[in-house]
Amino acid sequence: QGAISFKDVHFSYDPARPILKGISFEVPAGKTVAVVGPSGAGKSTLSRLLYRFYDIQSGSVSVDGQDVRAVTQKSLRSAIGMVPQDTVLFNDTVAYNIRYGRPSASDADVKTAAEIAQIAHFIDLLPEGFDTKVGERGLKLSGGEKQRVAIARTVLKAPPILILDEATSALDTTTERDIQTALDVVSKNRTTLVIAHRLSTVIGADEIIVLKSGEIAERGTHAELLQKK
Ligand code: ADP
Ligand code: ADP
């Protein structure tokens, strides 16, 4: 469930300056495809089109064979879990932030999601556990802890599709490895679109697309791309 298809996608924010110039690729259901490339290549734009922050000018973006323009934004967003580079949390409790959008989820569900995201060890540090407020006047979470909250939110939401948009690139190397492990658990058997800067961070992807100036410069598995070098 959740197969994604980009077919001959053209997109520009400003008609005078094309950003995506005929992009075609698929993410088969349950697989992981990574898009890598230099800053400004158009990588995040791809994820915004999938999420329907913007609509394409020509070509098509579809999920399970259905054009995203024919799907309501609400149902599209409930099918997609997104872990961005810098998670912005509400000035509310950790539990609220994990439960966000799913008020009916039980405390047990929230805790299970947190444990899958491996945040239990920092919640142990809090006497009130999940009920401690985060934000300006509350608890200050590190970048890695915020990413764990975002991952836990995604676990709870259990969407068929996952977008990881530079989800580890703001972290130090040790934290990055830790968060990557949690992301690997969450993305297993889920249709996943990974946006990344460096090839070395997406070794396990089923396919890697190298995007340059809005065009696909190369594609293949990690091993195949290394051979071409
Ligand atoms: P990447 O994720 O590969 O760094 P982006 O998709 O964020 O690239 O951006 C591709 C190009 O589109 C960049 O040149 C960027 O300046 C431009 N761009 C991104 N967002 C907007 C926007 N909202 N309005 C106008 N131009 C934008
Ligand atoms: P849904 O409730 O189906 O998740 P939304 O469009 O409300 O859909 O939000 C999509 C995702 O974006 C949420 O799951 C959440 O992870 C994130 N999100 C939206 N708004 C915020 C926000 N203000 N602060 C933090 N995360 C947010």
Side-chain angles (χ1 to χ4, degrees), residues 107-120:
D107 287 351
D109 290 337
V110 171
K111 283 206 170 152
T112 305
E115 275 159 20
I116 293 170
Q118 301 172 328
I119 64 173

Side-chain angles (χ1 to χ4, degrees), residues 92-145:
D92 208 307
T93 62
V94 173
Y96 176 89
N97 275 284
I98 293 175
R99 186 180 277 125
Y100 173 69
R102 269 148 296 278
S104 61
S106 72
D107 287 351
D109 290 337
V110 171
K111 283 206 170 152
T112 305
E115 275 159 20
I116 293 170
Q118 301 172 328
I119 64 173
H121 71 264
F122 86 74
I123 283 165
D124 283 346
L125 302 175
L126 312 175
E128 302 89 27
F130 291 107
D131 298 328
T132 304
K133 286 205 174 198
V134 299
E136 279 152 43
R137 270 182 264 143
L139 178 77
K140 192 124 173 50
L141 298 186
S142 68
E145 288 164 343

Side-chain angles (χ1 to χ4, degrees), residues 51 74 77-78 82 88-90 100-102 153 157:
Y51 216 66
K74 191 168 161 31
R77 287 181 182 194
S78 71
M82 161 92 101
V88 179
L89 297 177
F90 300 100
Y100 173 69
R102 269 148 296 278
R153 185 188 282 162
K157 183 176 174 178

